[in-house]
Amino acid sequence: MKPEQSATVSRLIAAFAVAFRERPLSPAQRHVAYRALLDTVAVAIAGRGEQAPRFLRDYLSEMTGSGRATAWTTGERLPAEAAALLNGTAAHMLDYDDMLPPMVGHPSVVLVPPLAALAEMTGADGRRFAQAYVAGFEVLAKISAVMALPHVVKGWHSTASIGTLGAAVAASVLLGLDEVQTMHALGLAIAQTAGNRQNFGTMAKSFQVGQAGSVALRAALLAQRGFDAPRDALEGKYGYMALYAANEDLTAALDTLGRGPLDFDAIGIDVKKYPCCYALHKPLDGVLGLRAAHGLGPDDVERVEIVTQKRGLQPLVYTDPKSGLEAKFSMEYCVAAALLDGRIRLSSFDADQVTRPQVRALYPRIAKREVDGDMLPRWAEVTLHLKGGAQLRRRVDTSRGDAQDPLTDAELVEKAEDCFAFGGLDLPASAFAAEVFALADQRVADVLGALRAPESRGEVVR
C-alpha cells in the first residue's frame, strides 16, 4: 500500500474539503454564515479597548509592518496572519462569541478571522467565504462529536485545540487546495496546535484562540506553496488523536462528511445573549426570567440555588472574582449582578461593577451544585428561596440565542449595536449588518472596508 493511501482519516477530510467547494449552499445557509461574520466582528469591536488586543496590536505592528487584511479593532492594514491573530484574540476577549455544543467551544472565532483575512488577501467573495466557513464547521462538528468531551475534561481548551483543525480545512477550501495540500495543511496546523483551560480568566485564553486561527491560516498558505507535513498527522501512531485525545477512531464520523444533511443545519450555532462563559447562560436565563416575572429584587431573595448537569460548573473557577475577566467565569458574580441589576450586559464586567460591595454581599446567599448524569445536553434549574418561605423554580433546557431558540436578525443587530458602542466605534452597526447580510457576490474586502481607518481606504485624514 502506498503511503498516501494509508492516511485514511486525513484523506476522508481532504476529499470532503475538495468536493465541498462544488456543493451549492442555499441562501439560508449562506445567511447563517453571514450572521456569524457579523456577530464575530461585533464582539471583536466590543473587545478592542481591552489590554490584550492593544498589547498585541503594538507587537504585531512592530514585527510585521503593513499588509492586505483589516485589523477590525483599529482599521489598520496588517498581513493576513497578523490580522487573523489580532481579530481572533479580540473576538474572544469578552467571551461573547458563538458556541457549538458538541465542540464544547466556540466555532466562529477560529473560523471567521482567518477566513476573512484570506478573503481580503485573495479577493474572495461572500459565496466563497460561506462555502469555506461551512466546510470548516462540518469538520469541527464531526471531530468534536467523537472526542471533545474527554478532551475538555482533561484540560484542553477545545476552541483552540480542536478549532485549529476546522480552521485549517476552511482555509484550504477558500484557497482551493487539492487533497494532498489539504492533508499537509492539517499536518502543519497540528504541528502548531495548543490551548489549555488553565489560562481561563486571563488574557492567555483569548490569545490561544487568536493563535489557533492564525496558525491555521499559516498552515494553509505554507501547504499551498509546497510545504509538507505527515499525511497521517491526525490519526498516526504519534498523531493528534493519540496525544490530544484517547485514540478514538474518527473513521465512522468522518465517513459521513458531505453526505446527507449538514451538521451546520442539524446542530446550528448558539449565539450568546450574555458576554460571559456559556455555562452561565442557562442559570442567568432562569434567574432573570424569575426576577422579571415576579418583580423581584435582591431584598426579596433569601437564597439562590442552582443545579446543573455533571461538569456544568467546571469552567466557573472564580468564586470571588477581582476582575472583569475573572467575573465572566464566576457563578457568584453573575447571579448576584443579575439579581441586583436585572440584566447582564457588557458594562456588567467593568472593574467598578465587579468590585461593588453590594454585589459581593450577595455571594454567601448563592449555592450551586452538579448532579450525576450526562454532561450533554446542558441544562440548569434555578430555585429562588424567598424571604417568608416561598420558593420559585425554573428549569432552563434551551438558552435564548441557542440554535433552537435563535436571536432574530433584528436582535443580532441590536447586539452588534451594543458592541460597536461599547467599543467606541463610530460606525452604524445596522448599516454594516445590512452589507454583511447582502455579502453573496460582493468581495469580503469591500464589506470589511467600512472598518478600515481612513488612511487605509486612501482617504485624507483630517
Side-chain angles (χ1 to χ4, degrees):
M1 181 177 291
K2 296 180 180 179
E4 62 266 26
Q5 293 177 324
S6 65
T8 306
V9 172
S10 294
R11 185 168 292 281
L12 285 171
I13 294 176
F16 159 75
V18 171
F20 195 82
R21 290 201 299 269
E22 306 305 321
R23 176 170 177 161
L25 294 182
S26 68
Q29 290 170 323
R30 291 197 301 271
H31 185 70
V32 174
Y34 303 154
R35 281 170 55 98
L37 173 62
L38 171 63
D39 190 49
T40 308
V41 170
V43 297
I45 295 299
R48 72 180 189 155
E50 299 295 308
Q51 285 186 317
R54 289 191 284 112
F55 292 162
L56 197 51
R57 175 262 177 192
D58 292 343
Y59 165 75
L60 292 170
S61 294
E62 292 175 4
M63 181 182 71
T64 59
S66 62
R68 291 187 289 165
T70 304
W72 306 336
T73 58
T74 65
E76 295 171 276
R77 300 286 271 168
L78 294 174
E81 184 181 326
L85 174 57
L86 177 54
N87 294 336
T89 300
H92 196 57
M93 200 67 223
L94 300 178
D95 231 294
Y96 211 3
D97 46 305
D98 62 31
M99 292 286 301
L100 172 60
M103 184 185 180
V104 200
H106 306 253
S108 294
V109 78
V110 287
L111 295 175
V112 170
L115 287 179
L118 280 177
E120 285 195 88
M121 191 179 88
T122 62
D125 62 17
R127 293 178 185 274
R128 195 166 172 188
F129 168 88
Q131 204 77 26
Y133 177 91
V134 176
F137 185 99
E138 290 299 294
V139 171
L140 284 180
K142 297 298 187 188
I143 293 177
S144 295
V146 176
M147 51 76 69
L149 284 180
H151 179 79
V152 169
V153 169
K154 190 174 180 180
W156 292 101
H157 181 195
S158 57
T159 303
S161 54
I162 300 177
T164 318
L165 308 180
V169 171
S172 299
V173 169
L174 192 141
L175 290 173
L177 303 190
D178 63 27
E179 286 190 22
V180 172
Q181 289 172 321
T182 301
M183 286 190 284
H184 289 163
L186 267 174
L188 290 168
I190 288 169
Q192 305 169 86
T193 294
N196 63 77
R197 288 174 41 241
Q198 190 65 34
N199 287 327
F200 283 23
T202 73
M203 296 180 193
K205 177 178 187 281
S206 297
F207 171 76
Q208 60 197 20
V209 171
Q211 178 79 346
S214 178
V215 300
L217 181 153
R218 179 193 300 160
L221 287 173
L222 288 174
Q224 185 184 46
R225 286 157 175 78
F227 208 109
D228 71 356
R231 300 184 189 186
D232 58 353
L234 189 58
E235 70 275 20
K237 182 178 180 180
Y238 302 113
Y240 181 92
M241 293 303 295
L243 301 179
Y244 290 72
N247 245 341
E248 296 96 336
D249 188 356
L250 295 172
T251 304
L254 294 177
D255 194 45
T256 64
L257 274 171
R259 302 182 185 181
L262 296 175
D263 284 343
F264 180 74
D265 297 319
I267 300 173
I269 301 172
D270 293 350
V271 174
K272 282 192 169 186
K273 184 179 179 181
Y274 311 112
C276 56
C277 178
Y278 190 63
L280 291 161
H281 283 225
K282 289 177 175 60
L284 285 174
D285 276 353
V287 171
L288 289 169
L290 288 172
R291 186 188 189 283
H294 298 277
L296 301 173
D299 292 339
D300 301 309
V301 179
E302 184 70 37
R303 184 164 60 91
V304 181
E305 182 182 6
I306 296 164
V307 182
T308 188
Q309 80 283 347
K310 183 179 181 180
R311 297 197 176 98
L313 304 175
Q314 196 168 46
L316 307 179
V317 294
Y318 294 98
T319 58
D320 186 15
K322 303 298 192 300
S323 69
L325 280 176
E326 292 182 354
K328 290 173 182 291
F329 298 90
S330 173
M331 180 75 79
E332 287 74 13
Y333 172 75
C334 287
V335 169
L339 276 178
L340 191 67
D341 304 326
R343 62 188 181 187
I344 294 293
R345 56 194 309 177
L346 286 162
S347 58
S348 300
F349 299 94
D350 289 346
D352 60 343
Q353 297 295 300
V354 174
T355 55
R356 287 177 291 171
Q358 56 268 49
V359 169
R360 294 169 59 87
L362 295 174
Y363 290 177
R365 292 154 58 181
I366 299 167
K368 59 184 190 275
R369 62 185 174 89
E370 300 172 357
V371 296
D372 289 336
D374 295 332
M375 186 175 172
L376 292 177
R378 301 178 189 230
W379 58 271
E381 186 176 87
V382 175
T383 304
L384 301 185
H385 298 263
L386 306 184
K387 292 180 179 178
Q391 296 182 12
L392 300 172
R393 181 174 289 109
R394 177 170 293 190
R395 180 183 168 109
V396 180
D397 293 293
T398 302
S399 303
R400 184 77 177 94
D402 285 0
Q404 295 77 24
D405 187 15
L407 301 181
T408 64
D409 283 356
E411 289 172 321
L412 186 62
V413 171
E414 287 179 12
K415 175 181 172 179
E417 288 172 342
D418 188 34
C419 288
F420 279 31
F422 186 82
L425 183 66
D426 186 19
L427 175 70
S430 56
F432 180 72
E435 290 294 315
V436 171
F437 290 157
L439 193 52
D441 296 320
Q442 295 185 74
R443 295 194 320 154
V444 173
D446 294 336
V447 172
L448 294 180
L451 301 174
R452 290 184 211 138
E455 62 269 28
S456 295
R457 298 194 299 263
E459 300 172 4
V460 177
V461 181
R462 301 185 184 278

